[in-house]
Amino acid sequence: DSQFALKGRLALFFSKQKVADDDDCADSAFYVRAAAVHNRVLSADAIKGEVDVHRRMLIEDAIAAAPRHFGLALAEAHAEAPITNLEELRLKLLDMRTTADRAASELWSALACRDERAAADVLDGASPHLLAQLLHWRRRSAEGRGLLVAADEQVAPLGETLL
């Protein structure tokens, strides 16, 4: 209700599952992202409204926390069709990363084979957001664990990045 609403108040956080699992709750820890204290009882609609606002803020914070080269594209996608939950955001980010990895691998192969036509095809079909993502791409292992591949600096293309 105001910045002074917490003054003289105590908030208790209770976990039924933790109590059922363990009688000694002395080591219980809670991560609280946000808490709201009101001087009056809220209606169900008011509570739903607060939950919706908190969820939107959480999604906007997650978009802002994404790497900048993905964050701009995520923010644009969110403006066009609002992202409703964090799982949807995670899947959208993974899809963007997969698309960038695929395009970067094609571009890397074209550069390694000195195939200017294939490289131009990849770059011509790339959106501005994809180009920004390609600038930050680094060659990774094919196993999917995300390990960086050591580059042979004696063989073209030199290095492990496209830039």
Side-chain angles (χ1 to χ4, degrees):
D1 291 326
S2 75
Q3 63 184 3
F4 302 108
L6 289 175
K7 187 174 183 181
R9 293 196 168 49
L10 174 66
L12 297 176
F13 300 97
F14 179 74
S15 171
K16 291 180 184 177
Q17 182 180 2
K18 183 65 177 172
V19 172
D21 293 345
D22 186 11
D23 292 334
D24 183 21
C25 295
D27 62 341
S28 296
F30 292 91
Y31 172 75
V32 179
R33 172 104 173 42
V37 177
H38 299 278
N39 286 330
R40 62 192 183 292
V41 176
L42 298 179
S43 68
D45 291 338
I47 293 171
K48 185 178 182 314
E50 283 199 12
V51 168
D52 290 342
V53 168
H54 183 258
R55 184 174 291 122
R56 282 194 307 270
M57 288 173 44
L58 182 63
I59 290 171
E60 290 171 3
D61 286 351
I63 289 171
R68 186 162 189 233
H69 51 284
F70 288 113
L72 296 174
L74 284 172
E76 188 175 287
H78 181 58
E80 289 175 11
I83 297 169
T84 57
N85 59 53
L86 291 176
E87 180 64 16
E88 182 183 347
L89 177 67
R90 185 183 73 80
L91 292 174
K92 195 172 289 281
L93 183 58
L94 286 175
D95 182 52
M96 291 170 62
R97 183 175 177 185
T98 301
T99 301
D101 284 345
R102 188 177 304 116
S105 294
E106 291 172 11
L107 185 56
W108 184 271
S109 296
L111 292 173
C113 296
R114 300 182 193 277
D115 186 353
E116 292 180 20
R117 179 80 171 152
D121 288 344
V122 172
L123 294 175
D124 288 343
S127 69
H129 294 304
L130 182 58
L131 292 174
Q133 294 160 14
L134 291 177
L135 290 174
H136 294 275
W137 179 82
R138 293 180 70 187
R139 194 167 171 216
R140 297 187 181 274
S141 65
E143 291 89 40
R145 292 182 297 183
L147 302 174
L148 292 175
V149 174
D152 184 356
E153 299 293 337
Q154 305 296 320
V155 179
L158 305 176
E160 59 189 15
T161 65
L162 292 171
L163 184 59

